[in-house]
Amino acid sequence: RQQFSFPSIFIYGHTSSGKTYVMQTLLTTLQLPHVFVNCVEYFTSRLLLEEILIQLQSCSSSTGQTSPVHCDTLNDFVRLFKQALASRELQDQTLYIVSNFILIAEQLREMEANILPAFLRLQELTDRNVTVVLLSEIVWELFRPNIGCFEPFTMYFPDYSIGHLQKILSQNHPPEYSADFYAAYINILLGVFYMVCRDLRELRHLAALNFTKYCEPVVRGEANERDTRKLWKNIEPHLKKAMQTVYLREIS
């Protein structure tokens, strides 16, 4: 913790591949002071910089209270940032753990041209041990400014495999049915949708939406939980119809 970290890290991967969850879990488990900003919510450079400073105040304050912050320029941000890190509460900790910035990075391309290069070398500008972590669904080459900038350390999060998805989705089984019964249902669902949809959130939505239809023969007493052939024949037309409108939410 006393060593300087890489100034900026760029993590990219498809949606629902665990980027944000892994970073949140890592920072929480290791109890690292951090600032977490969503650039979709704070969509202008002023809102973004002020929110970072406000959260930094709460990290350095024992009471968690914050005061209004006005930050119009990047120079103001660097000055106020260094002042916040100079507080006694943060001096008692290793500077590396003070601020890890996790930004939904696509929005940065729409802001002023100096914002992204400044975040990439914030450690140099502030002379403090701070690491900026950028989360994105697109590759770094689409962000790189034409004028050049500090190159971040890049890390790729691959999509979940079908085995990973089966394991994750099977954890949501309803208590009134056995885990094996729900796992068999998830296998059928992934067999239909995996080739057209690998978004974990969408698959979880589809699983919850269609499970009642899958259970109908069991509820009516026409089949038991092991009659996978009857259960498949009952739900197959419904799943094929739902597959035509994945992401559109037209099948309910």
Side-chain angles (χ1 to χ4, degrees):
R1 295 187 178 191
Q2 296 177 349
Q3 295 179 343
F4 270 76
S5 174
F6 207 80
S8 52
I9 301 172
F10 185 86
I11 300 176
Y12 68 102
H14 193 267
T15 181
S16 297
S17 56
K19 303 181 296 297
T20 303
Y21 178 77
V22 167
M23 289 307 303
Q24 286 177 327
T25 304
L26 182 66
L27 295 170
T28 303
T29 303
L30 298 180
Q31 298 181 346
L32 304 176
H34 60 278
V35 175
F36 200 106
V37 184
N38 187 332
C39 286
V40 176
E41 183 176 358
Y42 303 100
F43 52 88
T44 67
S45 59
R46 179 175 178 176
L47 289 174
L48 176 65
L49 298 177
E50 289 180 353
E51 177 60 20
I52 290 171
L53 293 171
I54 289 171
Q55 290 194 38
L56 197 58
Q57 279 186 8
S58 65
C59 287
S60 61
S61 173
S62 58
T63 62
Q65 295 180 346
T66 61
S67 57
V69 176
H70 300 287
C71 179
D72 295 322
T73 66
L74 193 59
N75 287 336
D76 290 339
F77 173 75
V78 172
R79 176 176 55 82
L80 294 170
F81 185 90
K82 293 170 74 172
Q83 288 178 5
L85 294 189
S87 66
R88 178 172 179 78
E89 290 82 358
L90 291 178
Q91 279 185 335
D92 293 337
Q93 304 177 51
T94 307
L95 283 177
Y96 167 69
I97 65 174
V98 166
S99 302
N100 289 273
F101 298 107
I102 302 152
L103 309 173
I104 307 302
E106 279 84 349
Q107 293 296 115
L108 286 175
R109 296 193 301 174
E110 309 299 328
M111 297 182 183
E112 287 84 343
N114 64 337
I115 293 296
L116 179 57
F119 273 116
L120 293 175
R121 60 194 322 142
L122 189 61
Q123 188 179 101
E124 177 185 343
L125 291 174
T126 61
D127 194 27
R128 298 292 186 270
N129 193 354
V130 54
T131 297
V132 176
V133 181
L134 303 172
L135 303 184
S136 174
E137 295 178 8
I138 57 181
V139 297
W140 165 246
E141 285 70 22
L142 297 177
F143 285 92
R144 185 183 288 117
N146 295 329
I147 58 175
C149 66
F150 182 85
E151 292 288 319
F153 179 83
T154 58
M155 184 181 301
Y156 174 61
F157 270 46
D159 292 342
Y160 289 121
S161 67
I162 191 169
H164 290 149
L165 289 172
Q166 203 278 338
K167 198 170 184 179
I168 295 169
L169 293 171
S170 295
Q171 294 177 357
N172 298 328
H173 73 89
E176 61 268 23
Y177 293 98
S178 67
D180 290 341
F181 176 67
Y182 193 75
Y185 163 67
I186 294 299
N187 278 331
I188 290 174
L189 187 84
L190 290 175
V192 175
F193 289 103
Y194 183 72
M195 295 305 295
V196 297
C197 175
R198 302 186 184 184
D199 186 324
L200 177 61
R201 284 172 293 190
E202 188 68 23
L203 289 170
R204 184 176 283 131
H205 168 75
L206 290 167
L209 197 64
N210 295 290
F211 185 63
T212 304
K213 189 72 174 177
Y214 181 74
C215 296
E216 279 183 355
V218 177
V219 173
R220 294 196 299 260
E222 299 172 358
N224 58 46
E225 292 187 359
R226 296 180 179 273
D227 292 333
T228 53
R229 184 177 296 238
K230 285 185 178 180
L231 296 171
W232 163 248
K233 286 186 68 175
N234 179 68
I235 200 174
E236 180 185 15
H238 191 74
L239 291 182
K240 287 185 176 180
K241 186 178 180 183
M243 188 170 63
Q244 298 171 4
T245 54
V246 173
Y247 297 112
L248 299 180
R249 305 287 173 89
E250 293 180 2
I251 303 298
S252 66

